[in-house]
Every structure is written in structure tokens, then in C-alpha cells.
Amino acid sequence: MSQITLQPSCADDYDPASLLVSEALQRIDAVVTPVTGYEQVPLRSALGRTLAQTITSPINVPAHTNSAMDGYAVRVEDLSGEGVTPLRVIGTALAGGPFQGVVTPGAAVRIMTGAVLPAGADCVVMQEQVGRQEDTVVIGSGHKVGQNIRRAGEDLAKGEVVMSAGHRLLPADLGLLASLGIAEIQVRRRLRVAFFSTGDELRSIGEPLDEGEIYDSNRYTLYGMLTRLGVDLIDMGVVRDRREDLEQAFREAAQHADALITSGGVSVGEADFIKDILKALGEVNFWKIAMKPGRPLAFGRVGKAVFFGLPGNPVSVMVTFYQFVQPALQHMMGQHEEPPLTVKAACAKRLRKRPGRMEFQRGILERQADGSLVVHSTGDQGSGILSAMSRANCFIILPEECGNVEAGALVDVQPFAALL
Ligand code: AMP
Ligand code: MG
């Protein structure tokens, strides 16, 4: 009688040959360097680009001491008595239409928000706090020097450093630069990133599907993620799992791109094939990373291009892109950005997890009525389930050593909104 022995189920996912996520990140960061090459661009074209110069303020902002309110510009000294003081209104100061005279003792000037504070005045009293009869205003006590006044240079002083090289330019930055009268700035040149999908089963949208074939979705998620990063794209389409085709594609990318991203063909079964081709074209390491999804990852150089060989599964592509490729490309773009924000949230239900690998589960983060954050799992965590990624709004990041997570426990959550 034959007996079948079952292997005891593996209690953890620990694999001594694996690289930790943090180690892989360090290795990548140690190799990539910012591209050189700069451009002078008009302000609007600078959105999303990397600033390549230090900006110091050429002027004081605001340029003049001005009023923060609609009201009356007065001398606090005149209001020192008890009760109310009548002041004579001697003129009006408008934004863009300054009052040319001086606020003398016993006088007040009607002033609008943004108008230059007239000489002699040291305080603005809100119009709601005064009584007016013809050319007299009646004002109570308790007003202070500097009240409702914006000092010249209080936002930025002339000569002050406003932004440093390496800053990714966002809408507020365009506004700030405009407020300084700066029309053109120096930015780093755009990164050129080539990408293609590998796999004989892949068809491009628009083509009919035969049995066993699937549509290539990775090139679309990559297109989206790369576009948001603000790089120049070189979409090389689908490349068959054939030696000559792959070799040709790698050669072409290496000539034109700063970075090359592929998906598929790096898992154990397939890697040997690609390894062989890449050996001749550059230096590529095939890593097993202690993470889920995204265990296999190839990283190195093909020609002069930095190469990322991502796994084929659609969710793995997105996870490895966000965790490894995006920070590396930002480094190559010369950006000095903080890592994406994470927050703590309570798990709505128990999460299954085996110790050994860092997991990036797909979650839905919500704010409760009491203001606290709760995260729900999207359910099935299969690395091919792109619909879960589409429904999710965050990654639930569970560290290597962590096991099952009980309902109510706090976990680290990385909102997609923080990923660009
Ligand atoms: P691979 O890493 O090449 O073994 O692929 C792993 C899984 O991902 C397989 O089920 C592939 O069919 C699938 N896959 C690979 N590339 C793509 C792609 N570009 N779009 C959608 N699915 C893909
Ligand atoms: Mg494949």
C-alpha cells in the first residue's frame, strides 16, 4: 500500500536568498544618478518639472506695507483715550491707487484691502468697528500698532532663498514664481523612458483575441504612471518571447532611453532566456525580493539605460513601479522629494499574512464619523486582479516580520493620492 506524505504547510514565507525591499531600494539608489542637461522654460511649461537653480527673491513680497482689511488707516496714538475718538477722514487709499498724503494727528484715511499703508498711519481699524458720519469716523479704544497690516517682505524678503534646485514644481510654485515677476526658469531636461511588454500571449487593444490570448494592460498602467511623473515616453509595444525580437528591442531602447522598463519574463522559468540576451548588452541582476506581490525583479543597466525588468502580473507591475521605479526615476530627474506619505489606519477586518515578505495589499481607506481612519481590504489579493487595484485607494503595507493582523489593529497605509 503506497502512502502519500504531504509536506507540512510552510508556516512562513521567509527565504534566505531574498533581498529585503529596503535593501533593493538602497542598491537601486546607489546606482542611479541624475541626468545632466538643462533647459530654460517659460513659467507655465515648468509645471511638474525639476527646478535646476536656486531661486532667490528679487523683491520684497509684499513689496509695500499694506492693509489686510477694508477699514481706516489711523495713528494708534490718537486712540489712546477712553471711550470713542472722532477722526477726520482726509482721503482714500485703494489697491493700486495709493493715498499720496500723510495721516496727520487727528486724521484717518479710508483704506481697502491690499492698498499701500499711507505715511503716518500705523494701524488699520476694520470698517465694521467704526461709526461714520460724513467725513468723520468714530473709533473705540483697544487698537494696536501693526493691527491688520501686512509688512513689506513678511512673505518673502528680497534676497531670501525661495526654492532650491531639485524641487518638483507644483501649482503653488508657479504662482509664487509669478508673484516674484519671474517669467522663465531653468529646469532639468526631461527623462526619456522606454517601455515594452513581453509575452506571446499578449495582444494590443484593437486586435482580436484568440484562445489563450489576453490584452496587454501593463503598457497602459505604465503609460499612466509615467505620464504623471512627467517623463518623455517611448512606447515600444508588445515584444514576442523570441530571442531576435527581444534582443532588437533591448538594443533600440538602450540607444534612445535613459531608462527602460519591461514587464514579464523575469520569473524563474523565463528568466534564463532574457538573462542570456542581457548578458551581452549590459549588466543586469535578477533579484528575488521578499515582497508580495512583485517577488522577481531585474535591475541593472542595458547599454547606457537603467533597466527595470518588472514581473508580468498587472498588480505586481504597479506595486514594483511605485516602490522601486518611481523613486529611482525621481532621483534620475534630479528631484529631492520626500518618500510618499503613509498614515496609520485601523484594519476593518482581520488580514491574513505570513511572516517573511513585505506585503502591499490593496485597501480602501475611509474616514469614520468620529474622524478616525479605517482601512478595508479589497478582498482577493491575487497579483493578476487589476480590478482590485482599480477599486483600491491605498496600499496596506505590512512589514516582513508581521503575521496575521487582527481587526482593529493599526497598520501603515500609503494612499494612492500620495503616489502622484
Ligand atoms: P510572466 O511574468 O511573463 O510570467 O507573466 C506573469 C503573468 O502576467 C502571466 O499570467 C501573464 O499572462 C501576465 N502578463 C504578462 N504581461 C502582461 C501584460 N502586459 N498585460 C497583462 N498581463 C500580463
Ligand atoms: Mg511572460
Side-chain angles (χ1 to χ4, degrees):
M1 205 176 82
S2 69
Q3 223 187 341
I4 300 166
T5 20
L6 294 172
Q7 291 288 322
S9 75
C10 180
D12 75 22
D13 254 1
Y14 179 69
D15 176 348
S18 292
L19 211 56
L20 297 177
V21 169
S22 56
E23 290 169 337
L25 272 170
Q26 278 165 15
R27 290 192 190 188
I28 294 170
D29 198 62
V31 171
V32 298
T33 51
V35 292
T36 49
Y38 306 93
E39 279 179 76
Q40 192 80 8
V41 295
L43 198 51
R44 282 187 180 151
S45 310
L47 185 63
R49 305 288 297 267
T50 314
L51 184 65
Q53 65 178 112
T54 302
I55 305 279
T56 55
S57 182
I59 52 171
N60 276 325
V61 180
H64 306 281
T65 298
N66 68 85
S67 179
M69 291 284 174
D70 290 347
Y72 291 86
V74 300
R75 300 154 46 91
V76 166
E77 212 185 319
D78 289 349
L79 305 174
S80 56
E82 293 289 301
V84 295
T85 310
L87 298 173
R88 194 166 41 87
V89 180
I90 59 170
T92 302
L94 301 170
F99 174 75
Q100 302 294 354
V102 176
V103 180
T104 47
V109 164
R110 170 103 175 103
I111 192 164
M112 309 311 283
T113 305
V116 174
L117 188 74
D122 56 13
C123 168
V124 170
V125 179
M126 282 166 70
Q127 63 186 13
E128 291 82 354
Q129 296 178 339
V130 310
R132 174 137 189 196
Q133 289 133 21
E134 287 161 20
D135 57 0
T136 301
V137 274
V138 184
I139 303 179
S141 60
H143 299 286
K144 304 223 156 51
V145 171
Q147 168 187 298
N148 298 324
I149 287 171
R150 305 164 177 155
R151 297 253 148 242
E154 79 173 18
D155 185 352
L156 291 170
K158 187 172 176 179
E160 195 177 319
V161 173
V162 179
M163 275 176 231
S164 304
H167 186 66
R168 177 178 155 89
L169 293 156
L170 295 179
D173 305 316
L174 299 195
L176 181 56
L177 292 165
S179 78
L180 302 178
I182 295 173
E184 277 197 347
I185 53 167
Q186 199 179 51
V187 295
R188 284 223 191 229
R189 76 158 171 84
R190 277 182 192 278
L191 215 59
R192 284 185 289 271
V193 182
F195 58 108
F196 61 81
S197 297
T198 70
D200 285 337
E201 74 280 29
L202 302 179
R203 289 290 168 272
S204 293
I205 51 179
E207 295 172 4
L209 286 187
D210 270 344
E211 207 185 323
E213 295 178 341
I214 58 170
Y215 285 119
D216 169 17
S217 58
N218 291 342
R219 260 188 319 126
Y220 290 84
T221 51
L222 283 172
Y223 163 86
M225 295 185 291
L226 288 167
T227 299
R228 295 243 295 229
L229 258 184
V231 301
D232 281 342
L233 305 181
I234 307 172
D235 182 348
M236 299 178 65
V238 173
V239 179
R240 304 261 145 259
D241 286 326
R242 278 188 16 216
R243 195 187 172 94
E244 314 80 79
D245 293 11
L246 280 166
E247 194 169 333
Q248 165 69 21
F250 278 118
R251 280 189 193 284
E252 208 178 302
Q255 265 176 25
H256 302 293
D258 300 305
L260 166 64
I261 303 168
T262 64
S263 70
V266 293
S267 53
V268 178
E270 295 179 295
D272 292 342
F273 183 65
I274 286 194
K275 252 183 208 168
D276 224 36
I277 299 169
L278 291 176
K279 219 182 281 171
L281 302 178
E283 250 176 78
V284 176
N285 295 295
F286 286 78
W287 290 335
K288 226 164 37 170
I289 300 184
M291 72 187 287
K292 190 179 172 183
R295 195 203 296 254
L297 185 81
F299 173 73
R301 190 181 46 75
V302 178
K304 64 173 182 58
V306 173
F307 171 65
F308 298 90
L310 308 185
N313 276 309
V315 178
S316 309
V317 165
M318 297 197 75
V319 171
T320 51
F321 182 92
Y322 281 131
Q323 303 307 322
F324 299 115
V325 183
Q326 181 158 299
L329 295 183
Q330 286 183 306
H331 186 162
M332 292 175 74
M333 292 161 91
Q335 289 179 6
H336 304 309
E337 296 304 308
E338 295 292 311
L341 179 79
T342 59
V343 294
K344 294 266 185 210
C347 271
K349 283 199 188 132
R350 185 172 200 263
L351 298 178
R352 289 164 53 86
K353 157 93 167 60
R354 293 201 302 204
R357 292 204 259 167
M358 185 180 239
E359 289 196 12
F360 296 84
Q361 299 197 2
R362 275 67 71 205
I364 300 166
L365 183 65
E366 274 176 3
R367 190 175 284 282
Q368 302 277 82
D370 68 1
S372 64
L373 292 173
V374 162
V375 67
H376 301 261
S377 167
T378 55
D380 195 332
Q381 294 292 319
S383 59
I385 302 183
L386 199 50
S387 63
M389 194 66 204
S390 167
R391 274 185 293 119
N393 64 7
C394 66
F395 288 124
I396 304 169
I397 304 182
L398 305 174
E400 288 87 358
E401 65 282 3
C402 147
N404 292 334
V405 180
E406 299 307 324
L410 289 180
V411 286
D412 282 322
V413 163
Q414 188 171 59
F416 291 166
L419 289 169
L420 241 63

